[in-house]
Amino acid sequence: MENKIKAYERECVDCRSCMKGCPMLYSFTISPKKLLTKFTTEIPSSQMAFSCANCGLCAHTCPHDIDFGAIFTASKKNYAEDKKVLKKYGYGGVIFHQKSSFSKLFSTTKKFTTGEYTHMAFMPGCALSSYSPSLVHTVFNYLQSKCSGIGIIQQCCGTPTRVMGDMAQFKIYHSQLEADLDKMGATTVVTACENCFMSIKTYAPHIKIVSLYSLLAQIGLPESAKDRHKNTLKMALHDPCPTRYEKEIHKDVRTLLAQIGLPFEEFKQNREKTLCCGSGGMLELTNSALAHEQMRTRANQTECESIVSYCQSCAESMSHGGKNGVHLLDLIFNPTFEMKQKEQGTLKKWYNRFTSRQMISALKDNT
Ligand code: SF4
Ligand code: SF4
């Protein structure tokens, strides 16, 4: 990284493009070049490093591909060697979340032994199972009706541990996920969560990863969902930042929105230019004030009162930012959805995950 930072420092023209839309750089500098000069002799402070949301916008915007996110990620990995530093940034909460997420109480798998798609597993992700067990299971029932033999895995991908920089622990969690998928014989994973998508794509390249939204565009939507929203008030569409460069997902999500008839508008910064919703990099834990500021900033970049996304964390962030955050899956699979997610506390969310886990355990093999 040292050599890279020296090259970055030489190339930077101090145009400040990287600061536009970044939740944190403006809090620490008015000159990215000066910051890079400083980094040639000292690593970023822990406060600065843990204020980065890992959204990738700076590298995308910079005319010289200078990647502040990579610098801060490397710094977090350094700091993670001292758990006392990590704990200052809320790591205690991440440890609890991750131990629970990987425990038998909240995770499970179900493999089906007959059908054309026994090599596939649906992975809803933590946020969706915490939000709505019934939505997870409605989606899964539909997938089963179209892809006979598809299994399901309720498991975390380990992203919270990774973004805190604790790579040793992340490797342990990721191996557990890979071992569970291996036991299921799952060589293809269908994800509803954009963090799971990128994590598996990056750290388990031997597994084929498919976005649920691309699969739905391919297999088609339930008849009852088609044109259901042609009289719904216009919403804005927020693209989650982990899948910034996944053009197929962007296209497929828009196809699904067209099929359900939802009038929607694009944010000015959309697709690969999208902004962090405020929850990237565990920012709510590491720098809550910045996280909430970013949530408000993004939510208020549209006149629409409702913002639809295809990531549950993004939908919640848009609600925290003062608008009505909606998940695309509710619009497709929940005919009684009242166009507003219910506010749920932490305990209720863990209870939902437990309920979803129990529902998976109760599924019967189709032999
Ligand atoms: S966008 Fe790139 S060149 Fe411009 S200030 Fe930022 S790092 Fe420097
Ligand atoms: S990755 Fe995102 S939050 Fe981090 S420095 Fe770049 S733009 Fe800012």
Side-chain angles (χ1 to χ4, degrees), residues 18-26 48-49 51-61 66-70 72-73 76 241 244 276 280 283:
C18 53
M19 297 176 79
K20 292 177 198 138
C22 168
M24 53 79 70
L25 280 170
Y26 69 90
M48 206 187 296
S51 296
C52 171
N54 290 94
C55 72
L57 184 64
C58 50
H60 178 73
T61 323
I66 293 169
D67 191 346
F68 274 100
F72 296 137
T73 296
K76 286 189 210 181
C241 62
R244 169 181 306 288
C276 173
L283 199 58

Side-chain angles (χ1 to χ4, degrees), residues 1-181:
M1 189 42 84
E2 288 91 26
N3 288 341
K4 221 169 197 178
I5 291 174
K6 281 182 189 148
Y8 283 165
E9 198 259 341
R10 281 193 303 274
E11 285 160 13
C12 177
V13 292
D14 226 9
C15 64
R16 299 190 199 171
S17 299
C18 53
M19 297 176 79
K20 292 177 198 138
C22 168
M24 53 79 70
L25 280 170
Y26 69 90
S27 303
F28 294 94
T29 191
I30 50 161
S31 162
K33 192 170 178 77
K34 279 194 188 139
L35 205 55
L36 289 165
T37 307
K38 197 170 165 197
F39 295 163
T40 59
T41 54
E42 57 184 90
I43 73 163
S45 68
S46 60
Q47 199 203 0
M48 206 187 296
F50 285 99
S51 296
C52 171
N54 290 94
C55 72
L57 184 64
C58 50
H60 178 73
T61 323
C62 175
H64 297 283
D65 300 327
I66 293 169
D67 191 346
F68 274 100
I71 298 173
F72 296 137
T73 296
S75 310
K76 286 189 210 181
K77 287 179 189 167
N78 270 332
Y79 285 119
E81 282 165 25
D82 182 351
K83 296 291 176 290
K84 277 196 211 125
V85 177
L86 275 190
K87 284 197 173 147
K88 263 176 54 187
Y89 295 97
Y91 196 51
V94 174
I95 292 173
F96 172 80
H97 175 280
Q98 295 283 262
K99 276 192 178 158
S100 307
S101 298
F102 282 90
S103 75
K104 294 254 178 299
L105 205 56
F106 298 106
S107 68
T108 193
T109 61
K110 181 64 80 177
K111 174 182 169 52
F112 292 83
T113 47
T114 56
E116 206 185 321
Y117 295 88
T118 52
H119 64 287
M120 267 190 178
F122 172 50
M123 182 165 167
C126 299
L128 196 65
S129 30
S130 302
Y131 163 60
S132 173
S134 61
L135 187 56
V136 166
H137 287 265
T138 306
V139 172
F140 182 57
N141 286 343
Y142 184 68
L143 292 180
Q144 277 190 311
S145 74
K146 294 285 182 179
C147 308
S148 64
I150 186 171
I152 182 165
I153 177 165
Q154 181 164 311
Q155 181 73 283
C156 180
C157 65
T159 292
T161 302
R162 177 172 54 78
V163 298
M164 292 297 290
D166 190 351
M167 295 309 284
Q169 188 57 47
F170 169 70
K171 277 184 194 146
I172 295 170
Y173 284 141
H174 213 271
S175 311
Q176 191 176 326
L177 170 64
E178 286 179 47
D180 287 344
L181 288 169

Side-chain angles (χ1 to χ4, degrees), residues 275-306:
L275 251 57
C276 173
C277 69
S279 72
M282 304 302 290
L283 199 58
E284 269 185 283
L285 270 184
T286 58
N287 192 332
S288 171
L290 270 191
H292 284 91
E293 192 180 331
Q294 182 68 10
M295 288 169 190
R296 286 189 293 273
T297 301
R298 182 54 162 173
N300 287 303
Q301 285 178 337
T302 173
E303 298 281 308
C304 294
E305 275 312 306
S306 293

